[in-house]
Amino acid sequence: IFAMEVVMMEYTITGFMPVILASTIGALVARVVYGGERPFQLSGVELESLFDLPWIVLSALLIGLLAGLFVRVARSGNVMKRLPFPARLVLVGLLVGAVAWWYPQVQGMGYDSLGAILNDAEPLDVLLALAIGKLLLTAITVACGIPVSIIGPILVAGGAVGALCGLLGGWLLPEIAAGPELYAMLGMAAMMGAVLQAPLAALMALLELTHNPGLILPGMLAVVVAGLTSRQLCGCDGFFISVTRHGLHPLQQPLMQALSRVSVPAVMERALVRTPRRVTRAEAKALLDAKPEWVIIERSRDDKPTLALKAAALARWMLEHDENDNIDKDGRLDLLEIPGQRLELAPIHLQATLSEAFDRLNTKHVDALYVEHGHRPGKKRISGIITRDAIERYYRFSDT
C-alpha cells in the first residue's frame, strides 16, 4: 500500500499484483531468516473513552502543523545548497553533535527510542528533544542535500509528540484520559500520514507495528486531521512530490494517469518487417508480400539510428519505377533514397507503459519507438513500433 500510495500514486490491478507479490516474498524471507517477532510488544492499549476523541483531534492538529514545518524546512534546499557540499556536511554534523551531546537519542534511526516511548520509558525532556530536535535535524539534513532516511525519524518524532500530548491530556483530565502510549501510537501514524500524504499507508503501519485493530478508529481520525492540517493550513503536499507542473506531480496529471494504466503492447503497431538498408527488387517485393505497415531499416552500426519507412512509400516507388531506377552496381536499391515518411526510432521494452513511452519520445526527441523484448545476443527482437500519433489517438479516443 505504501508503494502504491506514495511511489505509484494510484491503485490499479496491474500495479497491485506485482507489488503484493513482492511484499509477500519479502515478508516471508524476512520471517524465515529473522523470525516473526513483532516490532513493538504492546497489549491492552486501547481507546477507553470517547472523551479522548476531542483531544486526539487537537493532538493531530498540532502534529499536522509540525509535519508542515518539516516539509517546509526540508524543501528549503535552495538556500542551503548555496554552500559547498563539504560545508553542508560539517554544518549538519555540528548541529547533530551539539544536540546529541545532551540527548544522544536523536542520533540514528531511533527505533529503540520509539520502543521506549511506546512503553512510557522516556522522560519529558527526552520527548521534547525527539519531538522537535530530531524532526528539525532530519529536515535540515534533507535540505542540505545529504541522503538520509525520513520514515524512521518521522515515526519517532510523531510518537514523541503524541506521547507529550498524552501526558498533557493526563494532567488536564486524569480521570478519563487514555495513557500516553495510545497517543504515541496515534502520533506516529498521524505524522507519517501528514508528511507523506499517505493516509492508508500510515494506518497500515499503525496496524502492522502494533497488531492492535482497536486503534484503527482513533487512528483514522488522527491521520485524517493531521493530513488535512498539513495540506490545507500549511500548503504542503506529499514529501516525495517534488517535481510539479501546473501544480501537479506528473503522476497526478489526468493524462499521465491514463497513460500509466496502459502498456505499450496495447497500442503498438505489429505489422512490420525488418530489412537491411540495401535490398534487391525481389527482396523488396518479398517484404511487401507480408503486407506490413512499416519497414524497419536496420543500420550497419549500433551508433546509427534505426529507421522506420512507411511500407506504402516503398510500394508506391516500386509501382512508379522500373527495374533499373536507383539500382547500384550490385543490383540493389537504397531504402534511404526512396522518398516517403521515415521515422527515427529509439528502443523501449515490452513491459513499459504509455506514460513511459511518452516520456521516452520526448527525452530522445524522436517520433516513434521500436518495442523490443528478450535478450538474444547480437540481434534485437522487435515486436512492434509505437508512434507519437498512436499515443495521441489513444488518449483522444472516445466511444461517442
Side-chain angles (χ1 to χ4, degrees):
I1 290 177
F2 176 88
M4 301 196 73
E5 195 170 27
V6 177
V7 181
M8 301 173 67
M9 301 182 65
E10 64 172 356
Y11 293 89
T12 62
I13 294 298
T14 55
F16 185 78
M17 290 182 179
V19 169
I20 287 296
L21 182 61
S23 301
T24 303
I25 293 174
L28 289 174
V29 171
R31 181 163 295 189
V32 169
V33 175
Y34 299 108
E37 184 179 356
R38 297 177 183 179
F40 306 106
Q41 301 291 336
L42 297 171
S43 60
V45 178
E46 60 183 16
L47 184 66
E48 298 178 356
S49 170
L50 295 180
F51 287 105
D52 279 298
L53 294 181
W55 190 245
I56 289 174
V57 171
L58 292 176
S59 302
L61 182 64
L62 173 62
I63 290 173
L65 294 174
L66 289 174
L69 174 65
F70 173 86
V71 175
R72 292 281 186 181
V73 174
R75 289 187 177 171
S76 61
N78 291 334
V79 177
M80 296 292 188
K81 289 178 182 177
R82 294 174 184 172
L83 298 173
F85 187 70
R88 284 179 268 149
L89 281 174
V90 171
L91 173 63
V92 169
L94 289 175
L95 288 175
V96 174
V99 178
W101 181 266
W102 289 279
Y103 298 102
Q105 294 88 345
V106 301
Q107 300 177 102
M109 194 66 70
Y111 289 138
D112 53 343
S113 299
L114 182 58
I117 292 171
L118 295 178
N119 288 288
D120 196 18
E122 294 286 17
L124 183 62
D125 58 335
V126 173
L127 291 178
L128 285 170
L130 291 172
I132 306 300
K134 191 171 186 64
L135 194 70
L136 290 179
L137 287 173
T138 305
I140 292 171
T141 304
V142 173
C144 288
I146 299 172
V148 62
S149 171
I150 71 159
I151 305 299
I154 63 175
L155 287 175
V156 174
V161 176
L164 287 170
C165 292
L167 289 172
L168 181 57
W171 293 333
L172 296 176
L173 300 169
E175 299 296 329
I176 59 175
E181 306 88 9
L182 172 70
Y183 284 87
M185 295 181 201
L186 299 181
M188 177 180 67
M191 183 68 78
M192 176 181 175
V195 169
L196 302 179
Q197 288 297 307
L200 287 179
L203 287 171
M204 287 301 297
L206 176 64
L207 179 62
E208 291 192 326
L209 289 174
T210 63
H211 288 256
N212 189 344
L215 296 179
I216 291 298
L217 173 61
M220 287 191 294
L221 182 62
V223 167
V224 169
V225 172
L228 288 176
T229 301
S230 176
R231 177 180 288 274
Q232 300 299 328
L233 295 185
C234 302
C236 297
D237 47 15
F239 177 82
F240 292 109
I241 301 177
S242 57
V243 181
T244 61
R245 187 175 68 188
H246 306 303
L248 294 175
H249 186 272
L251 287 179
Q252 291 177 307
Q253 298 164 21
L255 170 60
M256 298 309 290
Q257 278 193 344
L259 296 182
S260 66
R261 297 188 183 104
V262 181
S263 61
V264 161
V267 297
M268 74 181 183
E269 299 179 25
R270 303 171 185 268
L272 57 86
V273 291
R274 301 167 60 180
T275 179
R277 172 179 173 177
R278 290 180 173 83
V279 294
T280 63
R281 286 185 67 94
E283 291 170 337
K285 185 177 182 304
L287 293 174
L288 296 175
D289 287 341
K291 298 182 180 179
E293 185 73 20
W294 293 94
V295 177
I296 306 297
I297 305 173
E298 298 176 329
R299 312 302 295 276
S300 57
R301 298 202 311 266
D302 291 338
D303 59 341
K304 293 183 178 180
T306 303
L307 300 175
L309 171 69
K310 268 287 187 181
L314 177 58
R316 187 182 305 111
W317 186 91
M318 295 279 287
L319 290 173
E320 294 175 352
H321 295 77
D322 59 31
E323 295 187 358
N324 296 320
D325 286 346
N326 285 14
I327 299 297
D328 60 18
K329 62 182 181 179
D330 295 328
R332 298 179 181 272
L333 60 93
D334 189 345
L335 295 181
L336 297 187
E337 298 292 333
I338 294 175
Q341 182 184 9
R342 252 183 301 272
L343 302 178
E344 186 173 324
L345 305 178
I348 192 167
H349 57 86
L350 188 67
Q351 290 79 23
T353 63
L354 291 188
S355 62
E356 292 175 301
F358 190 76
D359 288 338
R360 192 159 182 83
L361 286 170
N362 292 329
T363 56
K364 292 294 185 179
H365 306 290
V366 295
D367 290 317
L369 305 167
Y370 64 84
V371 183
E372 60 179 354
H373 67 282
H375 302 282
R376 288 173 57 188
K379 189 173 185 180
K380 298 185 287 284
R381 299 180 64 182
I382 299 178
S383 301
I385 72 169
I386 180 166
T387 63
R388 190 182 299 271
D389 290 340
I391 297 177
E392 292 177 353
R393 283 196 304 272
Y394 169 78
Y395 68 73
R396 288 175 181 169
F397 174 76
S398 170
D399 57 2
T400 60

